Amino acid sequence: MKKIRVGIIGAGRIGKIHTDNLLRLPQVEIIAVSDLFAGPELEAWAADRGIEQVVTDSNVLIANPDIDAVFICSSTDTHVPLIKQAAKAGKHIFCEKPVSMDITQTEEALEIVREAGVKLQIGFNRRFDHNFKRVREHVQGGTIGQPHIVKITSRDPNPPHPDYIKVSGGIFMDMMIHDFDMARFVTDSEVEEVYAQGNVLINPVFAEHGDVDTAIVTLRFVNGALGVIDNSRQAVYGYDQRVEVFGSKGSVAVTNDHPNTAEISTAEGIVRDKPLHFFLERYNAAYVEETQMFIDCLVNGNPLPVEGFDGLQAERIALAAKLSSRLKRPVKISEITELLAQQSVSL
């Protein structure tokens, strides 16, 4: 069996998730882990998993000729230089979203990937969720006819830490970018225009960093469909993840996953458990599958299920949403470059 030898860059929460999922795969051998803050604790964690090399310098990992592919799980500001470096070293790449917060930098990174002839998969794990895949299948299969309206709800159970808010890139780039990708995924159509509105209704700390914690975005798709996405940084009842596509022949909708399907009915009312608490529980199987498919593509030469172009398109929609929120008007995707060049709306 062909083995894919992997290096992990960034051993925070998501890096450790990918590591454990990779270790399930017989086709994978993890050669090394790099993390700026690597120390005895990370070394012990790696040793428990049979990973012998732990380094603080990602250059050492990328230069290792024994490594075929890297998983970039470090902070967003490191993604572009690491992608460029890994591609030039001939490594295949899995990179968490977003590629960057600057579409010019993302385009430069994707060009180097193309020139190097390596594979690049972006970590839009929700594409691999069992519910959302089913929505796409019915839309593509014609079950609901021509899509007319897309509705996506994504609400977190708790706001992120204030330290994260100031570097997140804002709700559209950090949180709603998953939903922008999902909108493209379930409709199989590009977005041509965006109108975004947001407000601070949960915690004033978001305003301190020029961000909002509650947002609604409407989308106009190239195929004529219309979409609406709502995000909140705090849903007191838990992690809220729902999608509906309404079309000329009907609709397909998926609701939240729960720990169980039990409903308790009494004279006082009907109750059930809250939704699965957060993304680690809700999308655990999706993380496993996206890792499996990336490795399968490297082993068997199959096309990637989500590529650098998908990351770029989601970033374009996110930037259009940020511009729309600031300018208080709809923004076409085709306007982004011109608007970003204007100092008055620089982001």
Side-chain angles (χ1 to χ4, degrees), residues 33-225:
V33 173
S34 74
D35 192 277
L36 285 173
F37 306 102
E41 184 177 344
L42 183 60
E43 290 171 356
W45 174 86
D48 285 344
R49 289 156 175 77
I51 304 170
E52 296 181 358
Q53 188 177 17
V54 176
V55 298
T56 57
D57 187 354
S58 60
N59 294 310
V60 174
L61 186 150
I62 292 174
N64 188 332
D66 294 330
I67 290 177
D68 304 308
V70 296
F71 272 62
I72 300 176
C73 310
S74 48
S75 59
T76 299
D77 61 310
T78 68
H79 289 179
V80 165
L82 288 172
I83 288 172
K84 292 179 177 180
Q85 187 180 0
K88 290 176 181 178
K91 315 296 186 187
H92 299 295
I93 305 158
F94 181 103
C95 182
E96 275 301 326
K97 65 80 194 170
V99 175
S100 79
M101 298 179 193
D102 182 324
I103 57 174
T104 300
Q105 290 187 19
T106 298
E107 289 169 342
E108 291 174 358
L110 299 189
E111 180 58 31
I112 289 176
V113 167
R114 283 190 289 270
E115 291 172 355
V118 298
K119 295 182 181 291
L120 168 63
Q121 180 169 321
I122 306 302
F124 283 126
N125 61 293
R126 296 184 190 182
R127 287 180 175 231
F128 304 89
D129 173 71
H130 59 290
N131 290 325
F132 299 154
K133 285 195 301 181
R134 193 66 172 150
V135 172
R136 177 180 166 88
E137 288 168 4
H138 279 295
V139 173
Q140 289 197 319
T143 306
I144 66 158
Q146 178 67 26
H148 290 175
I149 299 172
V150 181
K151 297 173 68 177
I152 300 175
T153 291
S154 182
R155 303 167 186 163
D156 286 354
N158 296 295
H161 191 278
D163 289 344
Y164 178 76
I165 294 169
K166 63 185 179 183
V167 298
S168 71
I171 195 169
F172 302 116
M173 186 63 74
D174 167 56
M175 184 178 177
M176 201 179 284
I177 195 166
H178 276 292
D179 305 306
F180 295 143
D181 180 67
M182 187 52 49
R184 295 180 62 245
F185 177 68
V186 297
T187 62
D188 200 24
S189 178
E190 297 296 346
V191 171
E192 65 177 8
E193 186 178 83
V194 177
Y195 182 41
Q197 295 191 79
N199 209 346
V200 178
L201 302 175
I202 298 166
N203 191 325
V205 69
F206 288 93
E208 294 171 13
H209 299 292
D211 196 8
V212 298
D213 53 37
T214 307
I216 292 178
V217 170
T218 57
L219 308 171
R220 183 181 294 274
F221 294 86
V222 171
N223 66 3

Side-chain angles (χ1 to χ4, degrees), residues 275-293:
L276 292 173
H277 178 64
F278 207 15
F279 72 94
L280 295 180
E281 295 87 356
R282 173 65 176 80
Y283 293 116
N284 179 62
Y287 279 115
V288 173
E289 186 169 341
E290 72 170 352
T291 303
Q292 173 76 66
M293 290 194 70

